[in-house]
Amino acid sequence: MRRRGTVRLRLTAVHTGLFVATSAILVLTVNLLLQTMLHQRVAGMKIAEAAPPTFAGPPSGSPMTGAVMGDVADLPDAVLRYQWTVSGVTIAALTLVSIAAGWWLSGRLLRPLHRITATARRLSVSTLHERIALAGPRDELTELADTFDTMLGRLQSAVDSQRRFVANASHELRTPLAIQRAAIQIGLDDPTPQRLDEIRRELLLANHRAERLIEGLLVLAQSEHGLETSEPVALDAVVRQAVGETPGEGIAVTLATEPVQVAGDPVLLHRLVANLVHNAVRHNRSGGTVEVRLASTGDLTVRNTGPEVPADRVDELFEPFRRLRAARTGPSDGAGLGLSIVAAIARAHDAAVTARPNPGGGLELTVRFRARQATSGAESRPVMI
């Protein structure tokens, strides 16, 4: 197990080592230059002393001149010894100061990291709302703390979404089970042939609802997990097939496609288009219309008529188990997973989904794929379903 403060010790050692190295180089350079200069000056004075005397100068062989020249010759060594001694003592003292300063400075610099570590240790599913909120100048440590806070925000959002999903799924699964239990308990009190036939129909409807809900949950989980395999898919053929298979009565569907090829899972792409068209038909008005367009750029647009959708609630449509209102046409037993599955499949295919309400009612949904290939030719035909 590593000791606490290892990084702090390393920073202190590096700081002190750099100080000692630079100080030693500085002292060595200064002392060597001083030694050279002193010896050169003393040598110059000896040359001057050996020169012929002048009329104003004293006799060269006088005792005073010899004593002075002897002291001058010993002066460089004495100065250098003193200089080396003072330098050594100074470096030793400053090294101790450098160790203390490095220890204090590294502790101050690492204090935000200790705060981040303490926050990470406290975190659990119930404390994801906590943030580091590191104050101070904008530097690398502040950026690290902000990144950690952003990650915590995403994690908290994912956990909250998972909790809501589990709660909603439990509620949705509980409803058909309660219907089946009530039909069995109440119906078997009077087991006449007519009553048994009604029970059978109710049980089949409840079972069908639970089956579709479980299937939707499986598709949603698979889409959120991502693509295991990817292959070229003719998206225009998938759109035509999905539109042709969508049930409905009294809704005019206009289909316009251009040849587009994308990379992905053909089964999931078929489910995406089918959910879009099925949602546009279900949430419509009697005698309404649905327009399905696929451009060569990879933009798939589904536009329908129907009830007005508040602009501030459009984002809710892509959350699981969200229903703004009951469907105007067709059965109203949807689980509220249609558009959430569409969004999950789009993310798995690196596509973007946008939605906006139409003036006068209805919704326009656009899925922007990255088209791999587009060929010439187009097909446009009205279809009544």
Side-chain angles (χ1 to χ4, degrees):
M1 181 178 179
R2 294 184 178 180
R3 295 186 306 166
R4 294 184 58 184
T6 301
V7 176
R8 189 176 186 181
L9 288 174
R10 290 179 181 176
L11 289 176
T12 303
V14 170
H15 176 268
T16 305
L18 289 176
F19 170 78
V20 171
T22 53
S23 300
I25 293 175
L26 176 63
V27 169
L28 182 63
T29 303
V30 171
N31 289 350
L32 290 178
L33 292 177
L34 179 62
Q35 178 181 1
T36 303
M37 186 270 296
L38 288 175
H39 284 294
Q40 288 178 352
R41 295 295 298 272
V42 170
M45 295 178 65
K46 289 181 178 181
I47 294 175
E49 188 269 341
T54 61
F55 293 102
S60 58
S62 64
M64 181 183 304
T65 303
V68 170
M69 291 306 301
D71 293 339
V72 169
D74 296 334
L75 182 62
D77 294 334
V79 170
L80 289 174
R81 284 194 299 271
Y82 178 79
Q83 181 73 12
W84 282 111
T85 303
V86 172
S87 299
V89 173
T90 303
I91 290 179
L94 291 181
T95 298
L96 297 177
V97 174
S98 177
I99 293 174
W103 181 261
W104 174 83
L105 182 60
S106 59
R108 186 175 181 84
L109 292 176
L110 294 175
R111 190 178 303 166
L113 291 180
H114 296 326
R115 185 173 176 180
I116 295 173
T117 304
T119 303
R121 287 175 177 171
R122 289 196 311 268
L123 286 180
S124 64
V125 176
S126 59
T127 58
L128 288 177
H129 62 279
E130 294 188 13
R131 297 293 183 269
I132 300 173
L134 186 64
R138 299 298 304 175
D139 54 16
E140 290 81 357
L141 294 178
T142 308
E143 184 179 356
L144 175 62
D146 292 343
T147 303
F148 195 80
D149 287 341
T150 303
M151 182 194 67
L152 289 178
R154 292 196 301 265
L155 184 60
Q156 181 183 11
S157 177
V159 171
D160 292 342
S161 177
Q162 184 183 31
R163 285 174 173 172
R164 291 193 302 268
F165 180 83
V166 172
N168 292 330
S170 301
H171 174 75
E172 294 290 339
L173 288 171
R174 189 184 299 116
T175 301
L177 293 177
I179 295 174
Q180 294 179 48
R181 183 175 62 253
I184 294 173
Q185 291 176 347
I186 298 174
L188 293 181
D189 291 340
D190 184 20
T192 61
Q194 182 180 0
R195 186 60 178 164
L196 290 177
D197 186 60
E198 294 177 359
I199 295 174
R200 183 181 64 85
R201 287 197 300 269
E202 291 181 5
L203 291 177
L204 286 176
L205 288 175
N207 182 266
H208 180 61
R209 179 180 178 181
E211 182 181 1
R212 289 190 298 106
L213 175 60
I214 293 174
E215 180 186 359
L217 293 174
L218 290 175
V219 174
L220 182 61
Q222 180 183 359
S223 304
E224 292 286 357
H225 183 266
L227 299 179
E228 295 183 356
T229 59
S230 181
E231 62 183 74
V233 179
L235 187 59
D236 54 317
V238 172
V239 171
R240 289 193 298 270
Q241 179 184 1
V243 171
E245 295 174 352
T246 302
E249 294 182 358
I251 305 297
V253 179
T254 302
L255 174 64
T257 63
E258 297 180 4
V260 176
Q261 189 176 84
V262 298
D265 187 322
V267 176
L268 292 179
L269 289 173
H270 180 273
R271 185 60 180 267
L272 179 147
V273 180
N275 281 11
L276 285 175
V277 180
H278 184 69
N279 183 79
V281 171
R282 280 173 48 85
H283 300 277
N284 214 315
R285 56 178 173 81
S286 180
T289 62
V290 174
E291 299 177 8
V292 181
R293 300 190 306 273
L294 177 63
S296 59
T297 56
D299 290 357
L300 172 63
T301 304
V302 179
R303 177 189 177 98
N304 74 326
T305 55
E308 293 188 4
V309 179
D312 58 346
R313 300 193 63 186
V314 169
D315 293 339
E316 297 180 16
L317 298 173
F318 297 99
E319 297 182 13
F321 306 106
R322 288 298 182 96
R323 308 179 186 89
L324 297 184
R325 56 177 61 85
R328 295 288 297 271
T329 63
S332 58
D333 58 347
L337 292 175
L339 291 184
S340 60
I341 291 176
V342 168
I345 295 176
R347 286 193 298 269
H349 288 80
D350 198 18
V353 184
T354 57
R356 65 180 183 89
N358 295 325
L363 198 67
E364 179 179 297
L365 293 121
T366 302
V367 183
R368 290 182 171 85
F369 292 94
R370 293 185 178 181
R372 294 183 54 187
Q373 176 181 348
T375 57
S376 61
E379 178 180 350
S380 179
R381 59 185 178 92
V383 182
M384 294 296 296
I385 60 175

